[in-house]
Amino acid sequence: MSRTYFGTDGIRGTVGHPPITPDFMLRLGHAVGRVLKRTGSRRSVLIGKDTRISGYVIESALEAGFASAGADVVMCGPLPTPGVAYLTRALRLDLGVVISASHNPFGDNGMKFFSARGEKLPDEWEQQVEATLAEPPQWVDSASLGKVKRLDDARGRYVEFCKSTFGNDLSLRGLKIVVDAAHGAAYHVAPDVFHELGAAVVAIGCSPDGFNINDGFGATDPTALLRAVREHNADYGIALDGDADRLQLVDRAGRLYNGDELLYVIVADRLDQGHKVPGVVGTLMTNMAIELAFKARDIPFVRTKVGDRYILEELIARGWQLGGEGSGHLLALDRHTTGDGIVSALQVLHAVCRTGRTLEEQLAGVSLFPQKLLNVRLQAGQDWKANTRLAQEQAAVASELGQRGRVLIRASGTEPLLRVMVEAVDPAVAGRCAQRLADSART
């Protein structure tokens, strides 16, 4: 019977503990290679990684596993997750593998997989891999072993791709931008992209040592970015996470813009240029103010479960192009097949440069609703959905809020907690309503 290794975003865990061990990575590479070989006699795989010291061990083990199954391997070294997705597609390879634990601390690691089209793979593919992992290995003979080579110009190719997503008739000249790469995979990419498009760039978080990824820098901790923007009197600051698939952005006044706001700016810029936007996808956590702002512009808006994977699935199913979540995972499928922090930042800056209006000006009239989030601990085996008092209170609160607020109640996926969230125009109302719901959940 096969075991489940894949989560909502690939495989991830603590290095040295199963499954993030060299022996498992060897088996994983071999199993994935065998799955690939079922669709052709000779398959090619691209492997990239972030800057964690554990990447060297995992990279070597995966390389051996793929070669032992007869799959060729192309190594590109440190490169953002969306860079691997792009190169897999551009080089007409069969699979892209990223060794990264994204925004997690350096002691964690994992891997994500991309199809030949640069898209995340479906559950069915992951299930095939897990089933193959449960089988004995089938080592190929010496004549059939995969070959390994290194792609020396991966960084330069990806820099040019990122630049190509920014309007040819615009430049970033006149803007001073602080770029924080979280000591991660974009350390040698992001500063060059913004500099080559004309911006004066101040780079921070661009000195990885294998241990400092996401440590006090990047999208998960914008403190250093805020400080640098102030110290250098910069116009904007851009912070990426360890594998550069999401971002945070601040302006010279120190205002931090979350992914919901940035998504609205991108959508509004497309509309103002006369482009058709058939709809936008957010998540259960997308701020209600953004939903109402789309509604005011006659743009359909739908919500998915939290996670960029679910956003992507919904966009593809509906044939739409734009979506995202407050964490800064943004998707612009007319620019890239997956979430890309650098490309998303360029779409936002495109709106700034095209209009000559600051982000604050572009978001005038769009004020995020205050949110109050309370956690209620659940007892073992407790079925919160059967709590009739909570259901009645939820209906009452939703009725009271109307179009001036929203209720979201969901169980944590990792802890025995019930998360109770209320949005309302008035923060005091949000707090009172959230407390009423939390009290009902405890009965």
Side-chain angles (χ1 to χ4, degrees), residues 124-398:
E124 294 75 17
W125 181 87
E126 295 176 352
Q127 291 163 4
Q128 288 184 53
V129 172
E130 289 172 343
T132 306
L133 276 165
E135 300 172 357
Q138 297 180 10
W139 315 112
V140 301
D141 60 28
S142 295
S144 303
L145 288 171
K147 299 177 181 179
V148 181
K149 66 179 181 180
R150 182 162 295 277
L151 181 65
D152 293 325
D153 60 346
R155 187 200 71 85
R157 286 174 182 248
Y158 179 55
V159 167
E160 290 304 312
F161 165 73
C162 291
K163 289 163 55 182
S164 74
T165 68
F166 191 76
N168 292 329
D169 56 338
L170 295 174
S171 81
L172 299 177
R173 281 191 293 273
L175 291 180
K176 179 184 283 190
I177 300 174
V178 177
V179 178
D180 178 358
H183 297 305
Y187 78 96
H188 59 337
V189 173
D192 286 354
V193 170
F194 296 101
H195 170 72
E196 291 181 21
L197 287 172
V201 173
V202 177
I204 65 172
C206 292
S207 301
D209 61 10
F211 305 92
N212 59 359
I213 188 170
N214 300 314
D215 186 7
F217 288 83
T220 56
D221 187 355
T223 305
L225 180 69
L226 289 162
R227 183 171 58 248
V229 168
R230 183 173 59 251
E231 290 176 354
H232 295 277
N233 194 30
D235 296 289
Y236 292 101
I238 294 167
L240 306 168
D241 65 339
D243 69 336
D245 63 356
R246 71 175 183 174
L247 81 151
Q248 293 283 295
L249 197 149
V250 302
D251 64 14
R252 64 164 56 249
R255 176 177 171 181
L256 180 66
Y257 298 86
N258 78 357
D260 292 343
E261 295 172 297
L262 300 180
L263 175 61
Y264 176 81
V265 169
I266 294 172
V267 173
D269 187 48
R270 297 283 203 280
L271 291 172
D272 293 343
Q273 293 178 79
H275 300 313
K276 184 178 180 181
V277 179
V280 178
V281 177
T283 75
L284 294 173
M285 295 301 292
T286 300
N287 196 280
M288 187 175 181
I290 300 300
E291 180 177 7
L292 294 176
F294 287 137
K295 183 178 180 180
R297 300 196 67 159
D298 295 322
I299 301 298
F301 177 81
V302 298
R303 296 176 183 271
T304 70
K305 291 186 291 185
V306 175
D308 63 315
R309 174 178 184 171
Y310 302 112
I311 298 170
L312 178 60
E313 289 174 355
E314 191 69 25
L315 287 172
I316 292 173
R318 292 177 177 269
W320 296 354
Q321 297 176 323
L322 302 174
E325 54 186 342
S327 63
H329 280 113
L330 302 177
L331 287 157
L333 299 187
D334 54 350
R335 297 293 187 272
H336 201 350
T337 58
T338 191
D340 189 318
I342 296 174
V343 170
S344 296
L346 289 175
Q347 305 315 296
V348 174
L349 292 174
H350 181 277
V352 170
C353 295
R354 186 185 65 81
T355 64
R357 296 161 55 218
T358 65
L359 275 183
E360 184 178 25
E361 291 170 338
Q362 297 199 42
L363 285 162
V366 181
S367 298
L368 298 183
F369 285 12
Q371 294 181 339
K372 182 65 176 180
L373 176 64
L374 296 177
N375 292 321
V376 179
R377 185 159 293 276
L378 296 173
Q379 301 302 316
Q382 182 178 348
D383 182 7
W384 65 272
K385 293 182 180 180
N387 186 330
T388 55
R389 182 182 171 189
L390 174 60
Q392 292 169 354
E393 195 66 42
Q394 182 176 359
V397 169

Side-chain angles (χ1 to χ4, degrees), residues 36-53:
L36 279 176
K37 290 288 291 295
R38 293 169 190 164
T39 60
S41 60
R42 200 79 187 182
R43 303 282 91 180
S44 297
V45 179
L46 179 69
I47 300 180
K49 61 181 180 178
D50 64 22
T51 55
R52 296 164 211 269
I53 192 168

